[in-house]
Amino acid sequence: MGPTGTGSAAGATRVSTLVASGGRVDWLASGGRWIAFDRKGADGFYDVWMAAEDGSGERCLTDRPGILPARNNGQPAWHPDGRHMVLQAEKADSTIDLPMTRPGAGVLNDLWLIDVEAGPAWLIRDVPGSSGGTLHPHFSHDGLRLSWSELYGPAARTSGHEVGLWRLMVADLVWDSGVPCLAGVTGQVPGVEGFYENHGFSPDGSKLIFTAPLEEGRRVRSSNLWTLDLGDGSLDQLTNEGYNEHGQYSPDGSRIVWMTGNGAGDGVWGRDYWATELWIMDADGGGKEQLTFANEPGHEHQGWSGGLTGSTIFADSSWHADGDRLIVLALLAGEDGLSVVTGGDPLAESVLLVRPDLGLLA
């Protein structure tokens, strides 16, 4: 099921910067409609911030000495109650100063639940300090379950193992005398061992959507989007071309927005090799259409970068509850095709507001 769209959304999708210098994102689907994102600070570490859905009223949530580890904190996900949030936090005793411990990579990251109003924080998943990690936690829409990816084996040169061995995790969130914890924790590797990146539950809670190379011999760079039925364990493949990641169901479950290397760059090693665009498809993998054209020379979607040079990488995204717009993390690929410009310029890692053509959402 490769991309088959005609690009009809080229002039219809609107892209604008909502939060300059902001990273991985989540949009609260209830209550005050807050957004959350992480941001690299002057100390070189990431913190989690929240703001109103128009980007105003920013407030840092993880600058809490003695409460949270004072290293990288990021990858926030709202609990539906609007008061609690799960996030990744690099272990306080970590001595690794590498990109792999940042929120987007998750090595040596534990899971914490924080109270955004009263201030408490609780460690709810403590991974092994020598080899563990977590990535992309997401609550079910009823708030009773949590899903995430968990690192259990080191990276290797074997195709599919380039960023380590990961499994998909699901657990119940329970409260005991006002203290949260995870119960009934299960882990799954639906195919061959390798990279499994969780993107969360379907709106009805019956499936997980995730990224994986899945088949023997396939590289991480050639990963596809899949769904896993949590009842019978069956798999459905949603993409089969290029590099695909970060699939997010629309609130009604009918559509999925994801990022892919199809329609971006020239596929030649260098900065364009990492370029990605946003696409949208039906929940069964059909009806694929390209939403953004930020890597097309001269297209208005390039304006988000404020004139900085580099290829756009779209990544993590989150829908508004109305299902008519998304917030999306956008980054710039470096000239060598590997480094990503972060921290030096406020526009290098930004939260964008993307409004697709309403006809594509019907």
Side-chain angles (χ1 to χ4, degrees):
M1 298 181 201
T4 57
T6 61
S8 61
T13 300
R14 289 176 287 165
V15 175
S16 59
T17 300
L18 184 65
V19 178
S21 185
R24 284 130 295 274
V25 297
D26 196 37
W27 209 331
L28 178 63
S30 60
R33 301 285 176 85
W34 300 100
I35 63 171
F37 55 92
D38 58 38
R39 171 185 286 160
K40 187 178 181 182
D43 61 358
F45 294 115
Y46 281 80
D47 279 297
V48 171
W49 294 70
M50 64 179 288
E53 62 180 8
D54 62 1
S56 64
E58 292 182 0
R59 177 162 66 95
C60 184
L61 298 176
T62 53
D63 185 14
R64 304 179 180 189
I67 298 177
L68 283 165
R71 293 182 67 83
N72 285 305
N73 294 278
Q75 204 82 252
W78 287 101
H79 188 277
D81 67 7
R83 176 163 179 166
H84 296 94
M85 182 186 296
V86 67
L87 56 85
Q88 296 169 208
E90 183 183 354
K91 290 179 177 293
D93 60 358
S94 170
T95 59
I96 301 177
D97 187 17
L98 293 173
M100 295 305 290
T101 61
R102 295 174 184 170
V107 174
L108 298 184
N109 282 206
D110 295 319
L111 295 181
W112 288 70
L113 189 74
I114 66 171
D115 184 324
V116 302
E117 295 180 11
W122 302 273
L123 175 62
I124 59 172
R125 186 64 174 176
D126 186 2
V127 299
S130 59
S131 59
T134 61
L135 198 59
H136 284 289
H138 290 277
F139 285 107
S140 58
H141 286 240
D142 59 12
L144 299 179
R145 290 179 293 167
L146 183 70
S147 63
W148 70 97
S149 291
E150 190 160 299
L151 177 67
Y152 67 92
R157 294 181 180 273
T158 305
S159 291
H161 298 194
E162 298 95 327
V163 293
L165 304 181
W166 296 77
R167 59 169 64 98
L168 300 172
M169 309 293 294
V170 174
D172 298 324
L173 179 69
V174 298
W175 292 81
D176 184 4
S177 301
V179 177
C181 63
L182 298 179
V185 179
T186 61
Q188 297 193 52
V189 177
V192 299
E193 287 192 316
F195 179 58
Y196 287 84
E197 183 179 76
N198 172 61
H199 303 313
F201 296 91
S202 58
D204 65 4
S206 67
K207 297 179 179 181
L208 286 183
I209 184 169
F210 66 96
T211 289
L214 207 66
E215 306 96 340
E216 195 77 49
R218 183 178 286 271
R219 298 177 302 142
V220 170
R221 179 62 186 167
S222 299
S223 293
N224 283 301
L225 279 182
W226 300 77
T227 59
L228 169 66
D229 190 297
L230 293 172
D232 61 20
S234 61
L235 292 167
D236 284 319
Q237 185 173 355
L238 300 178
T239 63
N240 63 8
E241 293 181 39
Y243 170 40
N244 304 274
E245 202 175 355
H246 299 294
Q248 293 291 322
Y249 281 99
S250 61
D252 66 3
S254 66
R255 312 303 302 278
I256 294 170
V257 160
W258 87 106
M259 69 85 135
T260 177
N262 289 293
D266 53 17
V268 178
W269 182 256
R271 75 183 189 197
D272 283 347
Y273 182 77
W274 298 94
T276 62
E277 299 287 357
L278 290 180
W279 285 61
I280 191 169
M281 61 180 158
D282 297 333
D284 63 1
K288 293 180 172 70
E289 293 278 357
Q290 187 171 344
L291 289 181
T292 64
F293 297 80
N295 293 287
E296 183 177 304
H299 197 281
E300 63 182 20
H301 289 172
Q302 290 188 323
W304 81 269
S305 64
L308 293 176
T309 59
S311 295
T312 295
I313 303 173
F314 288 106
D316 191 31
S317 68
S318 182
W319 290 82
H320 189 277
D322 290 347
D324 63 350
R325 56 199 187 274
L326 304 99
I327 48 175
V328 183
L329 164 61
L331 313 96
L332 291 178
E335 294 292 338
D336 63 1
L338 283 175
S339 61
V340 174
V341 183
T342 56
D345 188 287
L347 289 177
E349 187 175 61
S350 297
V351 177
L352 306 187
L353 180 64
V354 175
R355 292 181 178 271
D357 174 74
L358 292 180
L360 293 175
L361 302 179

